[in-house]
Amino acid sequence: MANKNLNAAKVAKKDEFYTQLEDIERELQHYWSHFRGKTVLCNCDDPYESNFFKYFASRFNQLGLKKLICTCYNGSSIQGSELALFPEWKEEEEEPKRIAHKLVITEVKDMNGDGAVDMTDVEILIKNDKNVLTQLQTGDFRSEECIELLREADIVVTNPPFSLFREYVAQLMEYEKKFLIIGKQMAITNKEFFPLIKYNKVWLGYGFKGAVAHFVSPYEDTATAGDHRKGMIRVSGITWFTNLEINKRHESLDLVCRYSPEEYPHFENYDAIEVGKTIDIPCDYPGVMGVPITFLDKYNPEQFDIIWQACGNTRTSAPSEILKELKYIAHKEDRGGCAILNGQRLFSRIFIRNKHPQQL
Ligand SMILES: C[S@@+](CC[C@H](N)C(=O)[O-])C[C@H]1O[C@@H](n2cnc3c(N)ncnc32)[C@H](O)[C@@H]1O
């Protein structure tokens, strides 16, 4: 990483979470077949800081990439050492503004002859005339200069700013891009994002162990001593979202439990039963079941249908025919549509139906 002189006081939105190379490697190993001949865009990634850049640059030849484009944002609260690269930056300025730039890689010379490149220094890449580093106005992924690059890209891979996740995904969908991005699991409950999951336009990738990620970050880490990693922050409920085909989403869950009304109580405000843990989904229940959102990690669209979700926005976000199918009755405790059991409001649930319930 370049200059880590982080000025925490300047941090307004909490968007500075830098992904570790090992986490990128662990996820990306399942997607290699998608990249041959493709243009990859990492549009929230300073090549001097980002391990996404490092990952794709060092495997440029192995993956058979056509082009790698990285852009970085000048609004980042991290001051990078790359400022001196551009003549516009004057050393006497007290608080140098980070400069946005784009790096386009079309050739990575294979020095060892084995396809792998030791990608430790961006400077080596820039010395090659086929690769170009240029300045951008802002590097904001929503700006016209960045949208132009998005149009050109085949696959977008990054960890985008959490605070702009909705907008970020909406833009990817608008431009019909293939993508693999990191986000918070709770984004699933968002009223714009959830339909993408329901209609199988987006799904979860392989993910982080226990949905916990350690990012390099300027923010204070509140993790317990056992979980603390130096210079990092622990964030729970993190996952990968993608619309690239992966084997995982065609693997069926082994269902070993059987339905009984005693063990699977009925919600008070929906015609569905409560299944508190994904592993407890009964193999023989033909009706609608409410499962935790972590179910989506095991979701195979050939095995289950997603009907909708029960959360604070369901009453307003669900189509009326779905509310009718779920026989939803507003409850004074449901805060807009959360599932109610024994008078208590439950955490978000996903309503699913087994496509092939076992016949007894
Ligand atoms: C979660 S961090 C991840 C950084 C890098 N992609 C990684 O994974 O290591 C999100 C990055 O997006 C940048 N960012 C924030 N707003 C942005 C915007 N509007 N356009 C582009 N990048 C933005 C932040 O400054 C931050 O560096």
Side-chain angles (χ1 to χ4, degrees):
M1 297 264 151
N3 183 0
K4 286 192 198 147
N5 175 22
L6 309 174
N7 185 349
K10 279 192 194 165
V11 177
K13 287 186 206 157
K14 291 202 162 184
D15 282 330
E16 306 305 324
F17 297 92
Y18 289 82
T19 315
Q20 293 185 76
L21 187 57
E22 64 191 65
D23 289 330
I24 298 170
E25 286 170 339
R26 201 174 301 118
E27 185 69 21
L28 267 289
Q29 62 178 313
H30 303 285
Y31 301 79
W32 275 47
S33 61
H34 292 286
F35 287 98
R36 186 149 294 279
K38 296 290 164 45
T39 293
V40 170
L41 173 66
C42 306
N43 56 357
C44 299
D45 294 84
D46 182 341
Y48 289 87
E49 305 278 357
S50 165
N51 283 319
F52 282 94
F53 172 77
K54 202 174 199 178
Y55 179 86
F56 285 111
S58 58
R59 286 164 187 76
F60 192 89
N61 299 323
Q62 285 174 308
L63 289 167
L65 294 186
K66 179 177 161 198
K67 198 186 267 193
L68 169 62
I69 308 172
C70 271
T71 59
C72 85
Y73 177 52
N74 69 358
S76 164
S77 55
I78 293 182
Q79 296 170 9
S81 61
E82 71 277 15
L83 287 164
L85 285 171
F86 296 96
E88 286 83 347
W89 179 69
K90 297 184 188 67
E91 220 163 311
E92 64 272 17
E93 279 180 13
E94 261 183 27
E95 290 205 1
K97 202 169 176 340
R98 184 182 166 101
I99 291 171
H101 50 247
K102 83 171 175 207
L103 177 55
V104 179
I105 304 292
T106 53
E107 184 180 80
V108 176
K109 289 205 173 121
D110 174 3
M111 288 148 190
N112 308 321
D114 60 0
V117 180
D118 175 20
M119 196 43 270
T120 48
D121 194 349
V122 173
E123 304 305 318
I124 296 172
L125 285 168
I126 311 173
K127 278 187 191 137
N128 182 338
D129 289 345
K130 294 197 173 151
N131 304 324
V132 185
L133 180 73
T134 43
Q135 202 174 324
L136 292 171
Q137 279 172 2
T138 65
D140 189 318
F141 68 83
R142 300 159 293 188
S143 63
E144 197 39 55
E145 58 185 357
C146 288
I147 289 177
E148 202 49 51
L149 299 169
L150 181 65
R151 283 197 189 95
E152 187 188 342
D154 297 303
I155 310 178
V156 180
V157 187
T158 192
N159 176 6
F162 294 149
S163 70
L164 295 172
F165 190 78
R166 267 187 240 184
E167 255 181 274
Y168 189 85
V169 172
Q171 183 172 291
L172 290 176
M173 300 313 291
E174 183 185 345
Y175 289 90
E176 299 182 358
K177 291 298 153 183
K178 291 287 179 197
F179 60 86
L180 174 60
I181 58 172
I182 292 175
K184 290 191 173 169
Q185 274 179 339
M186 278 312 288
I188 291 162
T189 63
N190 177 271
K191 68 180 186 325
E192 285 93 14
F193 191 66
F194 176 75
L196 301 176
I197 299 273
K198 166 172 165 63
Y199 294 110
N200 296 308
K201 291 185 175 4
V202 178
W203 43 91
L204 271 64
Y206 285 79
F208 294 82
K209 196 162 178 254
V212 170
H214 284 85
F215 296 108
V216 176
S217 178
Y219 311 123
E220 195 190 336
D221 191 10
T222 50
T224 53
D227 223 2
H228 181 76
R229 294 194 201 164
K230 199 165 180 289
M232 295 201 186
I233 188 163
R234 177 190 187 276
V235 188
S236 56
I238 295 292
T239 193
W240 290 84
F241 293 107
T242 189
N243 57 0
L244 292 166
E245 199 48 73
I246 40 174
N247 293 337
K248 180 191 169 219
R249 72 188 286 262
H250 301 290
E251 289 162 5
S252 289
L253 253 179
D254 280 338
L255 305 179
V256 293
C257 296
R258 294 202 172 276
Y259 170 73
S260 75
E262 297 74 34
E263 281 175 275
Y264 297 94
H266 204 274
F267 295 127
E268 286 164 41
N269 53 345
Y270 290 103
D271 183 14
I273 58 164
E274 156 73 345
V275 182
K277 287 189 188 147
T278 301
I279 49 162
D280 292 339
I281 294 173
C283 61
D284 53 348
Y285 191 72
V288 179
M289 302 175 269
V291 291
I293 59 172
T294 47
F295 157 82
L296 291 174
D297 203 31
K298 308 280 182 222
Y299 169 52
N300 167 357
E302 287 123 36
Q303 188 178 22
F304 295 102
D305 269 330
I306 294 176
I307 313 298
W308 203 259
Q309 62 174 337
C311 72
N313 65 43
T314 302
R315 202 183 298 163
T316 50
S317 68
S320 56
E321 63 275 14
I322 290 182
L323 289 178
K324 209 165 159 191
E325 178 188 349
L326 293 167
K327 299 196 175 118
Y328 172 66
I329 306 162
H331 187 286
K332 65 178 175 16
E333 293 298 331
D334 79 7
R335 294 234 181 121
C338 295
I340 301 285
L341 198 61
N342 303 325
Q344 302 289 312
R345 185 175 55 251
L346 301 185
F347 200 66
S348 295
R349 291 288 184 266
I350 306 279
F351 288 127
I352 58 165
R353 189 186 276 117
N354 190 337
K355 286 185 160 180
H356 316 284
Q358 251 182 46
Q359 310 277 336
L360 292 179

